[in-house]
Amino acid sequence: MNTNVIQINKNECIHCQVESNLSFRPLVEYLKTRLKTEQSVKSEFYRFLLEKIEKNEALLGNIPAEELSKYQDTLELIFTILTPLMANEDDLYWALSTPIPDQIFFSTNAFYNFFKDHDPKNKVSKDNEPVEKKQLKFIYNLILGRFYNFSSVLKNEIIYAHIDTETKLTSYYNIQTDTKFVEILHKGDLPEINFEELGQHFQDNSELEYLTEVLPLSNFLFEGFSVISITDVTLQHAIDGIRDALVNHNYQTEAYTHVIQALKTLGGNGNLEFGLMPFLTVNKKLVFDNKEFSQSMLINSAKASNLEEEVFYSLVDKYKENPRAIFVSSINDDQIDKDPFLRVLKAAGVCSYSVLPVYYNTQLAGVLEVYSSKEVLVDDKLLSRLRPAMPLIGQLFQYSIEEFDAKMDEVLMDKFTALQPSVEWKFNEAIWHFLQQNKNKSYHKLKEIETVTFKHMYPLFGAIDIRNSTVERNKALKDDMEIQLNSLISTLKAIRKHVYLELTDKLLFNCKDWIKRICDFASSNEENLLKEFLESEVYPFLSIIKGNYPKTADIIEKYFEVIVPETGDGFKNRRQLEVSMQLINTEVSQYLETAQQNLQSSYPCYFAKFRTDGVEYDIYIGQEIAPDKPFDLMYLKNIRLWQLTSMVEIARLSKGLIGEMPRPLETTHLIFIHSNAIDISFRNDERRFDVEGAYNIRYEVVKKRIDKVLIKNKNERLTQPHKISMVYFNAEEAKEYMEYITYMQDQGLLNDDLELLELDELQGVSGLKALRVGVKYVTEKKPKEIKPIDVDLIERELQKQL
């Protein structure tokens, strides 16, 4: 036992000190009370200790901690009655301190060494409160409990962390203070406390300010001593760390890192490392190339060793058929022959490797890896330490699987289906009706799910097309074929210097003839004939020459490099064209996606975009989209003006991209104005909305044919770069849009060059007219974003009308 005085807080809490006396009088009172009821042999021991304390009057008064070393035998007797009989003082963290823990005056050797070797600054605290505030909370917690029978959620315990310098592992200790032998005296009458008011201060985290005013510490006296004990809670803290990762719903890389660190703490061996491998599936097949949901040594080693995926998948599939714990304490050649996957682990520096199956609700959810660069034996002791964590890891794996599946569904819904939040509510209703109608029915008697229909919807159509895309494709193809043929001619001439064959001259003649013919490519059939010539005559010829005449190998290889689609010069123009088209489509799609999300805030609408050579979109708006929000034609006007202003922004965006394109392309911009409402329904087979009724179908016919319409009596396409074209049927539609055009000309968005045009008849469609106006480009500074109509103003006006 140790009687050296340990200063805990080192006067860090001067301002929150309360008057206190170190005394054993409360213990004497306790022993006298016990002697009145104690009938066992313990009473003799209690009586002996009581007499010993009372002989030394100094122990009953206010004695300095430094003087208690004189009474070591008495303190050891106190230790004996306050601790279990079997407790070993070299293993027990136990001590006596002043009433308000500030000075420790008697402790076990284990406790003394703990404070000597561990830095108290390593305290783990979520709130990072200063020592003074924690001390005040401790004091008032005692006062409220003793005088007002008020229990605070604050516990008299502190968690400390210690990092072992050798193993680099963190150990956690719970330091608890027992105040059973502390008496609290109050000077004068005890004030009353409004507990409702106190409760409110606890919620506002201002309880200390309230308590110091109502219950000044100067009116209190603490007398007696406290008992301090320290418990190693490393294992529980590690388990709690894993549980926290689950509670916080953070199942990705950050959570996996925390869990692995907690497992290292659980293992208690600095040489151990852990890997987590949940079994993620796509179409019921396992997938592993996902860093977000997995941290596996085996996967990383397999990638580093370029192990074929099929081999890895077959290995794990085989394990799933018979999941079991695998223990390899030291990887050697004999084991590698039996289990080839150990080879990639050894190549990664792994010496020992073990796998533990992890289950969730009796279903295999993944595996836990235990590995080390040193020879480590996974024994029963280690397994028993890990066992409490296995159900939590199973739950973590299940969350990861669910999160992965949810991400797959999210992308599926976003990229491959037409379902949007604005119309999802109606699909939910249809699903619920379907489930109600088919409750308790057999499969062959199930009723069909109802068709989701929205009636009286106002349509808007817009198209951003890449100008002369077919012409550009043909030109890129001709340019590439010319490069390939010229490269082939050079190759054949070089071959002729090493090998003379009559067939070489014939192929040269054919190549020169094709160079003349590609200038007049008019159909895909001619393209196919050239492709057939190259694949059936040229490529076999070159392969034979390369094999029989090694001197020609480098020459022929250079030609084949030219015709590699991904990198060769023979595909350069088509690649550049594709990059340019993708750049336009991606930027326009992203703009529309962001813009329509803002548009939804004014009034919900259905917005569907799809790609052709450019980007087209449909918008439907009406009362049935949002039954709970009154619809007014002002919302339709707002969205029409938005459509026109967005076309200006897209035109400017496209023009700004020209400098970034490897093959410059221009865009045209078309709007179809249709004032009459139509009905739309969801086609389950095609997973998209379509119009209903013969009259409504006419709208679809016109929409699909107007992109190539000509101006009447002119051989000129309506759609032209740098202009916005608006096709309509009646004069009222044109009048509304002319007002928008005038407004936007005033805003500096459109040129003063409006044209009113009549259009050629289309198949089955006549009477079409168009407005066409030029876009004004601003080069000096970015134009201001135009807000078509103040949505809040519209809603206020609607409320007045309603």
Side-chain angles (χ1 to χ4, degrees):
M1 303 298 292
N2 201 293
T3 56
N4 291 325
V5 176
I6 303 173
Q7 188 72 34
I8 299 177
N9 293 318
K10 299 180 181 178
N11 296 323
E12 290 176 298
C13 197
I14 296 172
H15 300 294
C16 65
Q17 291 295 329
V18 65
E19 186 178 354
S20 66
N21 294 332
L22 175 54
S23 170
F24 291 87
R25 188 180 58 79
L27 175 60
V28 169
E29 298 299 326
Y30 171 79
L31 291 175
K32 289 179 179 179
T33 303
R34 287 295 302 269
L35 283 172
K36 293 177 182 178
T37 57
E38 187 64 53
Q39 301 297 324
S40 67
V41 72
K42 290 182 182 178
S43 60
E44 295 301 320
F45 188 74
Y46 291 161
R47 188 172 288 106
F48 175 72
L49 177 58
L50 183 59
E51 292 174 356
K52 193 167 183 62
I53 295 175
E54 289 181 330
K55 283 182 181 178
N56 300 299
E57 293 184 4
L59 295 177
L60 301 176
N62 184 9
I63 184 171
E66 291 79 9
E67 293 185 11
L68 283 169
S69 59
K70 303 174 185 177
Y71 309 98
Q72 181 168 350
D73 54 343
T74 304
L75 296 177
E76 289 184 358
L77 288 174
I78 294 173
F79 166 76
T80 304
I81 69 165
L82 296 183
T83 57
L85 183 62
M86 299 297 293
N88 185 343
E89 69 114 348
D90 289 328
D91 299 325
L92 183 66
Y93 299 107
W94 186 93
L96 300 179
S97 78
T98 49
I100 304 300
D102 183 50
Q103 290 179 306
I104 293 170
F105 55 83
F106 184 70
S107 59
T108 62
N109 290 335
F111 187 98
Y112 182 80
N113 292 331
F114 176 88
F115 258 82
K116 188 174 68 172
D117 298 338
H118 295 63
D119 185 0
K121 299 296 183 183
N122 282 339
K123 183 172 63 175
V124 175
S125 175
K126 293 182 180 179
D127 51 23
N128 294 319
E129 285 185 328
V131 173
E132 182 171 345
K133 193 170 183 178
K134 282 191 173 294
Q135 189 85 314
L136 275 173
K137 282 187 175 182
F138 173 82
I139 293 169
Y140 278 112
N141 190 35
L142 291 179
I143 292 173
L144 292 173
R146 296 286 178 88
F147 292 108
Y148 298 96
N149 197 28
F150 180 87
S151 298
S152 170
V153 294
L154 181 69
K155 297 180 180 179
N156 293 333
E157 60 181 30
I158 299 174
I159 301 296
Y160 278 83
H162 172 67
I163 300 176
D164 191 294
T165 54
E166 294 183 4
T167 65
K168 305 302 180 184
L169 296 178
T170 304
S171 299
Y172 296 90
Y173 301 91
N174 184 355
I175 302 180
Q176 293 181 306
T177 304
D178 188 342
T179 57
K180 181 185 296 184
F181 302 110
V182 176
E183 286 188 2
I184 308 175
L185 303 175
H186 182 265
K187 301 173 186 176
D189 296 333
L190 198 65
E192 293 184 3
I193 291 181
N194 184 332
F195 285 97
E196 288 187 7
E197 189 176 352
L198 176 60
Q200 184 60 47
H201 281 288
F202 269 109
Q203 291 183 8
D204 299 338
N205 199 29
S206 60
E207 72 277 10
L208 290 181
E209 290 80 355
Y210 173 79
L211 289 171
T212 52
E213 182 178 348
V214 177
L215 298 173
L217 290 183
S218 58
N219 293 336
F220 291 92
L221 170 66
F222 281 64
E223 186 174 88
F225 64 93
S226 295
V227 181
I228 299 177
S229 59
I230 300 178
T231 308
D232 189 336
V233 292
T234 301
L235 297 184
Q236 185 58 46
H237 193 276
I239 295 296
D240 289 343
I242 298 175
R243 189 175 286 110
D244 285 345
L246 300 179
V247 172
N248 293 332
H249 292 269
N250 183 1
Y251 317 128
Q252 299 174 7
T253 307
E254 185 179 347
Y256 274 51
T257 302
H258 290 319
V259 170
I260 289 174
Q261 188 58 44
L263 288 171
K264 289 181 181 180
T265 302
L266 271 179
N269 186 337
N271 295 321
L272 286 180
E273 298 290 342
F274 293 86
L276 301 172
M277 187 198 302
F279 287 165
L280 310 176
T281 60
V282 173
N283 297 330
K284 298 183 179 180
K285 293 183 179 179
L286 291 168
V287 294
F288 299 98
D289 192 12
N290 195 312
K291 295 180 180 179
E292 190 175 9
F293 293 106
S294 179
Q295 290 191 13
S296 166
M297 185 62 189
L298 181 58
I299 293 175
N300 294 335
S301 301
K303 289 179 183 176
S305 298
N306 296 319
L307 184 69
E308 294 182 4
E309 288 187 355
E310 291 76 10
V311 176
F312 186 76
Y313 291 157
S314 63
L315 170 70
V316 180
D317 285 334
K318 185 178 178 181
Y319 179 84
K320 280 194 72 177
E321 295 174 3
N322 182 27
R324 66 197 189 284
I326 300 174
F327 304 103
V328 182
S329 59
S330 180
I331 299 176
N332 56 44
D333 293 338
D334 291 339
Q335 290 166 328
I336 289 175
D337 292 337
K338 295 178 184 178
D339 296 303
F341 77 92
L342 294 174
R343 179 175 287 104
V344 299
L345 289 168
K346 188 173 183 180
V350 176
C351 179
S352 63
Y353 182 81
S354 299
V355 171
L356 303 176
V358 179
Y359 294 89
Y360 179 79
N361 284 350
T362 71
Q363 297 294 318
L364 185 66
V367 295
L368 170 65
E369 300 172 314
V370 186
Y371 62 93
S372 177
S373 58
K374 299 179 181 179
E375 185 174 335
V376 174
L377 178 64
V378 178
D379 54 14
D380 291 340
K381 182 179 178 182
L382 175 60
L383 292 177
S384 66
R385 292 170 69 94
L386 296 177
R387 191 169 291 115
M390 298 303 280
L392 296 175
I393 295 174
Q395 196 168 6
L396 176 67
F397 282 0
Q398 181 63 21
Y399 286 155
S400 294
I401 292 168
E402 292 173 357
E403 188 84 358
F404 176 77
D405 291 343
K407 285 203 169 188
M408 293 285 292
D409 291 340
E410 181 183 348
V411 175
L412 177 68
M413 294 291 289
D414 180 49
K415 302 298 182 184
F416 298 106
T417 73
L419 195 58
Q420 294 181 7
S422 60
V423 297
E424 187 176 355
W425 64 271
K426 195 147 190 175
F427 285 86
N428 291 336
E429 283 187 355
I431 293 168
W432 176 237
H433 295 158
F434 174 77
L435 294 175
Q436 285 181 310
Q437 291 170 358
N438 293 289
K439 191 185 298 181
N440 302 323
K441 289 186 179 181
S442 59
Y443 179 77
H444 63 279
K445 292 183 179 180
L446 289 179
K447 291 186 177 181
E448 289 291 329
I449 194 166
E450 66 189 69
T451 301
V452 174
T453 302
F454 293 93
K455 296 184 179 296
H456 205 71
M457 306 300 296
Y458 292 95
L460 296 95
F461 171 76
I464 300 92
D465 195 23
I466 294 175
R467 181 66 167 168
N468 296 329
S469 57
T470 303
V471 174
E472 291 291 340
R473 278 198 176 92
N474 288 337
K475 186 175 185 305
L477 173 64
K478 291 174 184 178
D479 291 343
D480 282 341
M481 296 315 300
E482 188 173 345
I483 291 172
Q484 287 191 28
L485 289 168
N486 282 325
S487 178
L488 179 56
I489 289 172
S490 300
T491 301
L492 291 172
K493 287 180 178 180
I495 290 173
R496 196 169 56 179
K497 294 179 181 178
H498 297 280
V499 182
Y500 181 76
L501 294 172
E502 293 290 339
L503 189 57
T504 307
D505 289 337
K506 177 185 176 301
L507 292 176
L508 276 168
F509 170 78
N510 289 342
C511 289
K512 293 174 182 178
D513 182 54
W514 270 111
I515 287 179
K516 297 175 183 177
R517 291 170 63 182
I518 59 174
C519 295
D520 301 318
F521 262 2
S523 67
S524 58
N525 184 50
E526 290 177 310
E527 180 186 345
N528 291 333
L529 288 175
L530 174 56
K531 186 178 180 181
E532 183 181 347
F533 162 68
L534 293 171
E535 291 181 352
S536 63
E537 296 186 41
V538 175
Y539 299 162
F541 171 78
L542 294 178
S543 298
I544 293 171
I545 294 297
K546 178 182 175 182
N548 293 337
Y549 302 95
K551 291 183 179 180
T552 65
D554 290 343
I555 300 170
I556 295 172
E557 194 59 42
K558 286 181 181 178
Y559 170 72
F560 280 116
E561 289 176 1
V562 170
I563 61 173
V564 175
E566 293 78 14
T567 57
D569 287 346
F571 286 84
K572 178 176 66 175
N573 292 285
R574 277 170 287 183
R575 285 199 308 272
Q576 289 178 344
L577 178 62
E578 188 63 28
V579 168
S580 298
M581 294 179 72
Q582 287 288 347
L583 179 61
I584 291 175
N585 288 337
T586 300
E587 291 292 332
V588 170
S589 292
Q590 288 178 351
Y591 172 84
L592 286 173
E593 193 64 38
T594 303
Q596 73 93 9
Q597 288 174 3
N598 297 330
L599 186 65
Q600 298 282 0
S601 62
S602 61
Y603 194 91
C605 59
Y606 177 79
F607 184 100
K609 60 179 173 63
F610 43 94
R611 289 190 179 183
T612 53
D613 275 347
V615 178
E616 298 179 1
Y617 63 85
D618 283 313
I619 302 176
Y620 299 101
I621 187 170
Q623 183 64 73
E624 285 207 3
I625 285 281
D628 297 331
K629 187 172 184 178
F631 177 75
D632 188 272
L633 289 179
M634 277 192 293
Y635 289 118
L636 177 61
K637 292 181 178 180
N638 180 63
I639 202 170
R640 283 176 171 171
L641 182 53
W642 169 86
Q643 185 183 29
L644 193 52
T645 56
S646 66
M647 279 296 188
V648 172
E649 294 302 324
I650 290 172
R652 291 176 169 180
L653 174 66
S654 301
K655 187 173 185 297
L657 292 173
I658 290 178
E660 301 177 29
M661 298 181 202
R663 201 172 180 95
L665 299 172
E666 294 182 317
T667 57
T668 61
H669 317 91
L670 175 65
I671 293 173
F672 179 34
I673 307 169
H674 189 83
S675 295
N676 297 323
I678 63 176
D679 299 340
I680 60 172
S681 60
F682 189 78
R683 295 189 57 173
N684 295 337
D685 53 346
E686 297 184 10
R687 301 184 70 81
R688 66 178 179 85
F689 277 99
D690 205 351
V691 297
E692 275 196 342
Y695 174 78
N696 296 334
I697 290 174
R698 184 167 180 263
Y699 166 76
E700 283 290 319
V701 171
V702 176
K703 188 180 75 174
K704 291 178 179 178
R705 294 178 180 174
I706 56 175
D707 61 324
K708 293 180 174 61
V709 69
L710 301 177
I711 297 174
K712 195 169 186 176
N713 300 325
K714 289 186 180 182
N715 189 25
E716 179 188 342
R717 289 265 289 270
L718 169 65
T719 55
Q720 296 292 332
H722 317 303
K723 290 182 179 291
I724 299 174
S725 303
M726 291 151 275
V727 177
Y728 65 95
F729 275 106
N730 61 65
E732 285 300 317
E733 295 171 334
K735 182 179 178 182
E736 180 182 340
Y737 274 80
M738 288 173 70
E739 290 178 4
Y740 300 152
I741 291 169
T742 302
Y743 161 69
M744 293 175 64
Q745 286 172 336
D746 181 68
Q747 295 293 317
L749 298 172
L750 297 174
N751 292 325
D752 190 15
D753 59 355
L754 177 63
E755 301 172 88
L756 280 71
L757 306 169
E758 292 190 17
L759 305 179
D760 273 354
E761 290 189 6
L762 298 173
Q763 183 180 354
V765 182
S766 60
L768 286 176
K769 299 178 182 179
L771 301 173
R772 190 168 68 179
V773 64
V775 175
K776 181 172 285 187
Y777 297 107
V778 180
T779 56
E780 293 182 4
K781 60 180 180 179
K782 188 176 179 181
K784 282 187 176 180
E785 183 179 352
I786 301 299
K787 296 182 178 178
I789 292 179
D790 189 328
V791 176
D792 293 334
L793 178 61
I794 293 176
E795 293 185 344
R796 288 196 295 271
E797 290 298 325
L798 281 175
Q799 288 172 1
K800 289 179 183 178
Q801 294 177 26
L802 293 172

